[in-house]
Amino acid sequence: MAEKIGSLACRKVTQRIAASGGTLGGLQLRRQNVAADLAEQVGAVRYPVLLVYCEKVVNSLAEKFRTFSGTLQMAVEVRQSCDQLDGLESALEDTADAVTRMLSANRGDWGDGMHYGGGYQITFGAAKHGGKNFLQVAKVTFEIGASIN
């Protein structure tokens, strides 16, 4: 049950990203949790790339007679790469900001017993070698509430 709920939540997030257009519309979008170096070894990565995945599923049984009643901790990882350090962080921040604007615009009922309250957290990683020469990652995490029979 937890795997299906996590997959459903990932689909809902990617649908909202794809529908947002603007800054996020042309980005490569993947529903997977994979390390940057492994992703580059396995296939072509077009930067910036957004990776959407479920980090944690908590069935707290807040509603006692539901099969699942709890939260899903979701992550949208933004990976930005370029050949120079100048501008890398700024481009990463712009894309992470676009993700948070998309989330803010999608507060409320997401259907299928899922809802998003509006909170999020962003963590920024340090630039390192990778991608087109330098790679930097920002991770936007947020919770989706779910109540499913």
Side-chain angles (χ1 to χ4, degrees), residues 28-134:
Q28 186 176 17
L29 180 61
R30 295 183 174 185
R31 279 194 306 248
Q32 63 184 167
N33 185 0
V34 61
D37 55 345
L38 182 60
E40 289 175 357
Q41 289 174 4
V42 174
V45 178
R46 193 181 74 234
Y47 291 100
V49 62
L50 300 179
L51 286 88
V52 177
Y53 54 91
C54 182
E55 287 190 317
K56 183 166 68 169
V57 176
V58 178
N59 188 1
S60 59
L61 294 174
E63 298 175 50
K64 298 298 180 201
F65 298 102
R66 298 272 187 182
T67 304
F68 183 92
S69 179
T71 58
L72 300 118
Q73 184 170 324
M74 303 300 297
V76 177
E77 217 173 272
V78 180
R79 295 182 183 167
Q80 182 73 41
S81 181
C82 68
D83 58 355
Q84 296 180 9
L85 281 174
D86 292 341
L88 177 62
E89 189 168 8
S90 177
L92 179 72
E93 289 171 352
D94 289 346
T95 308
D97 187 50
V99 171
T100 61
R101 282 194 310 270
M102 176 279 302
L103 287 171
S104 294
N106 284 283
R107 284 188 227 163
D109 186 10
W110 284 15
D112 297 318
M114 295 188 180
H115 60 276
Y116 171 62
Y120 59 82
Q121 179 178 347
I122 306 173
T123 55
F124 293 94
K128 61 182 182 178
H129 283 285
K132 296 176 183 174
N133 197 9
F134 297 104

